[in-house]
Amino acid sequence: MRDTAIVPVASAPVPLIDLQAQRARIGARIEAAIKRVLDHGAYIMGPEVFEVERRLAALSGAQHVISCSNGTSAMVMALMAWDVGRGDAVFVPSFTFTATAEVAAIVGATPAFVDVLPDTFNMDPDSLARAIAVAEQTGLKPRVVIPVDLFGQPADHDAIRMIADKHDLFILDDAAQSFGASYKGKMLGSLADITATSFYPSKPLGCYGDGGAVFTNNEDWAKKLTQVRVHGQGRDRNETVRIGLTARFDSIQAAVLLEKLSIFESECEARQKIAARYDAGLKGAVTTPYVRPDCTSVWAQYTVSSPRRDRIVAALSAKQIATAQFYAKPIHLQTPYRGFPVAGGGLFVTERLAQEVVSLPMHPYLAPDIQDEIIATVRAAVA
Ligand SMILES: Cc1ncc(COP(=O)(O)O)c(C=O)c1O
């Protein structure tokens, strides 16, 4: 979910995500928060960083929250804390942002690709079982599954847990797009063994730069994650206990995030209303997003599918309304990932969705008249 099109573009009157509209609401508070950091001068691991971790723990119900430099390093930290590496298989959907597969390759493990379900676009548990069989046949050791909670909606965590337990896999949840969503009444962050999220600016909860966090209820992993975050540091900087990274969250970004957290709930409610309005307006014209009745979505994206996707994109683009095709080319078809294993039975849903999906403008400040114009334009394009 990273594309230049998702950052407000001056020449596009209707951007996919409008961060300036949010800034008009809380810009003065954010500037004051940044100034406080400039005044106290604790740019690295300042009080805002610890306050963010406390607030995220309270919100998610996770016992340990370790903030970090971005969502990709959050996942790398988890794999490093579990000593995942050469000879290990890490199961990932192919219909996701590149980072989900990239982190497996970064630690020297093998990403193994799994298909998604046609309704939620999230990992298909049956395809996961088939991918595990393929990995075993090729001599890899199944170690980790990374379900992605795509576009804001949780994957089917119970079904994935059943398969993971059977094969002794860790579950690392890629909640980069979905922090704030819930599954069967539980917030993401406390469901998987470790959950990773991103605070990239366009995420539902984003800062003004890069940022991320990991969540876990396991004390031992929390300790290792904290060590990996800062060069594998032990009791103090004179002791190195493991190979690590430099992956801290900046105090300035934490200060921005604290202000964003204060409006997060109301922004999530606004996104729900906008999604409901899209659902009502677009039903019958395109396939609108399906949210399971036992889940909530934070609507990082509002993604529809249609065999007439290209006509929708052209019609909206003619009116300078931004769209994005998350994900027009699945990861297993991208050059660096072509040699990695794929679930038995293929990734047919992934490959079809890649041809048909289009994400429409979605943010808490989308005005009803603009939304109506988007709806009317989409309907006319597919008529
Ligand atoms: C599904 C998914 N995973 C991982 C990431 C990586 O997050 P970051 O950009 O903070 O490294 C992203 C963000 O774009 C994402 O959408």
Side-chain angles (χ1 to χ4, degrees), residues 9-10 91 116 286 315 325-326 351:
V9 180
F91 301 93
V116 292
V286 293
Q325 291 162 32
F326 301 127
E351 287 171 18

Side-chain angles (χ1 to χ4, degrees), residues 1-2 70-72 75 96-97 99-100 148 174 176-177 198 200 203 211 327:
M1 200 181 75
R2 180 174 253 183
N70 56 64
T72 307
M75 289 192 282
T96 174
F97 181 60
T100 315
V148 177
D174 180 350
Q177 302 181 4
S198 164
Y200 184 75
K203 302 297 187 212
Y327 294 91

Side-chain angles (χ1 to χ4, degrees), residues 84-85 87-91 109-112 135 140-145 169:
V84 174
D88 293 336
V90 176
F91 301 93
T110 300
L140 293 165
K141 185 172 178 354
R143 285 290 307 282
V144 180
V145 53
L169 302 181

Side-chain angles (χ1 to χ4, degrees), residues 89-371:
V90 176
F91 301 93
V92 297
S94 180
F95 192 66
T96 174
F97 181 60
T98 324
T100 315
E102 185 179 51
V103 296
I106 286 173
V107 298
T110 300
F113 293 105
V114 179
D115 209 358
V116 292
L117 294 164
D119 53 1
T120 61
F121 306 162
N122 279 326
M123 184 177 274
D124 175 351
D126 293 337
S127 176
L128 170 61
R130 291 196 294 273
I132 293 170
V134 168
E136 281 171 339
Q137 279 155 22
T138 46
L140 293 165
K141 185 172 178 354
R143 285 290 307 282
V144 180
V145 53
I146 311 186
V148 177
D149 309 304
L150 202 71
F151 302 148
Q153 175 178 203
D156 188 352
H157 284 265
D158 283 352
I160 289 166
R161 169 66 70 191
M162 270 176 62
I163 297 171
D165 284 352
K166 197 167 150 203
H167 295 273
D168 216 9
L169 302 181
F170 289 129
I171 303 178
L172 167 58
D173 189 25
D174 180 350
Q177 302 181 4
S178 54
F179 181 72
S182 66
Y183 176 84
K184 299 188 179 175
K186 279 181 122 181
M187 293 283 282
L188 292 181
S190 57
L191 286 165
D193 295 318
I194 298 179
T195 300
T197 198
S198 164
F199 304 127
Y200 184 75
S202 62
K203 302 297 187 212
L205 179 63
C207 52
Y208 279 179
D210 281 307
V214 282
F215 305 72
T216 186
N217 288 335
N218 182 301
E219 201 174 332
D220 179 45
W221 298 337
K223 191 170 150 201
K224 288 177 176 160
L225 288 162
T226 308
Q227 291 165 345
V228 172
R229 174 172 66 178
V230 188
H231 304 293
Q233 190 175 297
R235 273 190 310 276
D236 57 41
R237 62 176 61 189
N238 294 319
E239 186 191 45
T240 302
V241 291
R242 31 190 327 117
I243 304 291
L245 304 165
T246 177
R248 291 167 295 231
F249 191 39
D250 293 345
S251 305
I252 287 181
Q253 294 306 335
V256 172
L257 204 70
L258 284 172
E259 296 307 321
K260 301 263 195 128
L261 268 167
S262 68
I263 57 165
F264 185 49
E265 200 181 327
S266 78
E267 288 196 336
C268 288
E269 281 164 16
R271 284 175 189 271
Q272 294 288 1
K273 287 195 187 123
I274 288 160
R277 192 183 176 92
Y278 267 142
D279 284 350
L282 292 171
K283 207 143 237 132
V286 293
T287 306
T288 52
Y290 170 71
V291 178
R292 290 164 48 115
D294 54 5
C295 289
T296 61
S297 173
V298 282
W299 298 105
Q301 298 295 336
Y302 187 89
T303 302
V304 301
S305 62
S306 165
R308 297 180 171 175
R309 189 258 310 271
D310 294 347
R311 284 163 61 169
I312 296 171
V313 171
L316 291 170
S317 158
K319 293 188 176 175
Q320 299 202 70
I321 297 169
T323 58
Q325 291 162 32
F326 301 127
Y327 294 91
K329 188 167 179 186
I331 308 175
H332 71 287
L333 300 178
Q334 303 279 0
T335 308
Y337 294 94
R338 279 179 184 272
F340 292 118
V342 162
L347 305 185
F348 294 111
V349 177
T350 297
E351 287 171 18
R352 178 178 60 76
L353 289 175
Q355 306 293 319
E356 296 191 350
V357 287
V358 53
S359 302
L360 305 177
M362 164 52 87
H363 59 84
Y365 307 96
L366 190 62
D369 57 332
I370 294 180
Q371 219 192 339

